[in-house]
Amino acid sequence: MIRYTLLAALLLSPAAMAQETRTSANAKLDAEFAQSDSDADGFLSPAEIEARMRRMKLSGGRTLDAVHAKRVAGLFLARGDTNGDGRVSKVESRALMGQVFSRYDTNGDGKVEGAEAAKARAAAKAKAAGR
C-alpha cells in the first residue's frame, strides 16, 4: 500500500474528497506532475520525486522527514518507471494513477466517493500500523 503513497494522497485527500472522477484525478495529477517537473523535461527524476515527497502534506499538516521521503520516492520510482529508464514520464504516472483509481473505485462506477476514500484511508493506516 505504501507504494501508492503519492497517488493515494492526491486522490484521497480528505479536503478534496467529496467525489473524485477519473478525469478530475488525472487533472490533479497533471498539475502535480508539472509542478514537480522542475526542469520541465517531461519526466520526473529521482531527485524531483524525492523533493515532491518532502513537500507532500500528511494528516495534521505534517510532512515526511528526509529518510521517509527518500524511501517513498524510491518506491514510487520502482512502481512507476515501467520502462526502466530511471525516471517517470507523464504517461507512466498516469498509468499508475489509473491502477490506484481502479483499486479504490470499489463499485466500478468511475468515481471514488467519500465512503470509498474513507475505506481506502483506513486500510492504508491499518497497513502502515502493521495490522
Side-chain angles (χ1 to χ4, degrees):
M1 185 71 74
I2 195 164
R3 65 184 176 216
Y4 298 118
T5 301
L6 171 64
L7 297 171
L10 291 171
L11 182 62
L12 302 173
S13 67
M17 274 312 305
Q19 174 176 290
E20 190 77 72
T21 66
R22 192 173 296 271
T23 300
S24 63
N26 280 331
K28 287 178 185 178
L29 180 67
D30 289 349
E32 189 65 40
F33 189 97
Q35 183 181 24
S36 299
D37 183 15
S38 60
D39 61 6
D41 67 351
F43 297 91
L44 297 180
S45 69
E48 289 169 327
I49 296 167
E50 189 174 335
R52 172 59 188 113
M53 295 305 170
R54 284 193 308 268
R55 291 189 314 269
M56 185 172 65
K57 297 291 184 196
L58 304 173
S59 63
R62 300 174 328 204
T63 56
L64 290 174
D65 61 66
V67 171
H68 287 96
K70 186 174 185 110
R71 179 175 177 223
V72 173
L75 292 167
F76 178 80
L77 183 63
R79 181 75 174 159
D81 179 21
T82 57
N83 67 3
D85 67 354
R87 56 195 185 163
V88 177
S89 69
K90 186 185 272 190
V91 170
E92 289 170 320
S93 183
R94 275 237 178 151
L96 185 54
M97 172 56 92
Q99 292 171 9
V100 172
F101 192 95
S102 294
R103 181 180 181 131
Y104 295 138
D105 179 17
T106 56
N107 65 6
D109 67 353
K111 302 174 205 152
V112 176
E113 296 169 338
E116 291 168 313
K119 185 176 178 181
R121 281 191 304 273
K125 283 182 182 180
K127 180 96 173 169
R131 291 184 242 156

